[in-house]
Structures are given as structure tokens and as C-alpha cells.
Amino acid sequence: TTLSDLVDLLTLAHLHTNRATVPLQSNVIEASPDMKRESEKEWYFGNADKERSGPYSFIEMQEFWSEGILNPKARCWAQGMDGWRPLQVIPQLKWCLVASGQAVLNETDLATLILNMLITMSAYFPSRDEDNAIIRPLP
């Protein structure tokens, strides 16, 4: 596992839908963990004729994957990306659609584990010396 893999996996924390929910503004109706949250329609993909299709929600993208409409080489895009990329290199899609097997941790627990690993790793590479002077990396 590389550092970039850890950072990729860390970006999945926002997908954990069973985490604690914040009550809605009304005190009459509260959100519950089993409520389906609306997923923003932000994903586009190119079809076989290189025509843009979308926008779709992440849930719809999961359905397209399971139906065989999407494959690892399908070119996808969402707002904030600098260009179209194959599905297999986009962290959220790669780790949630292409990866197979049973998850050992939920997204929040995985993010916590990764953050703790990064904090431990950074302790081995301090940014200040024993006199509290900033350590400048060598070129």
C-alpha cells in the first residue's frame, strides 16, 4: 500500500451512510440511519459512441456498474475534476465499484484508521528540530 492509496481510501469517508445523523430542522421529524439519503446527481460518463450521459447520482452509477453498463475503462467526470478519467482511476468509483470482496471496516472506521496511520507516520518526519527551528527539506 502506498501513501497515495491511503489518501484515496481516506476520501471515501463521506460515503458512510450509517453514521450518526443530524436531526432535521423540525423537531417533529428526525433523520434515521435507515432513511435513504438523496445522492447528488454529479456523475457523467461517456457511452460507446463517446456521447456524454448524465448527470447521475452515485447510487445510479452503482446500478449501471452492476448492470454492466459501466466498465473499468468507461470515461467518467464529475464537477471538480480536471478532466475525464477512466472509472478505474477515480478513487470513489475505483474503491466502491471495481473493488470486490467483503469490506472489513465501514468508511468512517477506515478513515479513522488511515488518519491515525498518517499521524503516526508524520511523527517520524517532524517539521521542527529539538530547538523548535523549522526543518527545511533538502532539494
Side-chain angles (χ1 to χ4, degrees):
T1 302
T2 65
L3 188 59
S4 63
D5 288 335
L6 292 176
V7 173
D8 276 359
L9 286 167
L10 189 57
T11 64
L12 304 180
H14 73 283
L15 297 176
H16 188 193
T17 56
N18 293 332
R19 64 183 179 266
T21 55
V22 178
L24 301 175
Q25 289 183 348
S26 166
N27 63 358
V28 176
I29 302 173
E30 291 186 0
S32 66
D34 60 340
M35 287 178 68
K36 201 75 157 161
R37 295 181 186 179
E38 281 299 313
S39 179
E40 186 176 337
K41 292 181 180 273
E42 62 181 343
W43 291 101
Y44 295 83
F45 66 89
N47 63 19
D49 299 323
K50 298 192 179 194
E51 295 173 348
R52 183 178 82 176
S53 183
Y56 298 107
S57 68
F58 180 71
I59 293 167
E60 290 171 312
M61 294 292 278
Q62 287 175 313
E63 291 168 1
F64 293 147
W65 175 263
S66 64
E67 294 167 4
I69 296 170
L70 290 175
N71 63 58
K73 295 184 183 203
R75 302 200 50 88
C76 301
W77 179 83
Q79 188 171 6
M81 293 175 57
D82 60 356
W84 290 78
R85 300 273 181 266
L87 181 148
Q88 63 191 1
V89 301
I90 301 170
Q92 181 176 351
L93 301 179
K94 170 176 70 174
W95 294 109
C96 295
L97 302 181
V98 179
S100 61
Q102 182 63 35
V104 177
L105 299 171
N106 66 43
E107 293 87 348
T108 301
D109 292 341
L110 177 64
T112 302
L113 178 66
I114 292 170
L115 285 173
N116 287 336
M117 290 170 64
L118 294 174
I119 290 167
T120 302
M121 290 168 60
S122 67
Y124 290 102
F125 301 95
S127 58
R128 297 189 177 264
D129 64 15
E130 59 277 351
D131 297 325
N132 207 26
I134 296 174
I135 299 172
R136 303 213 184 270
L138 297 174

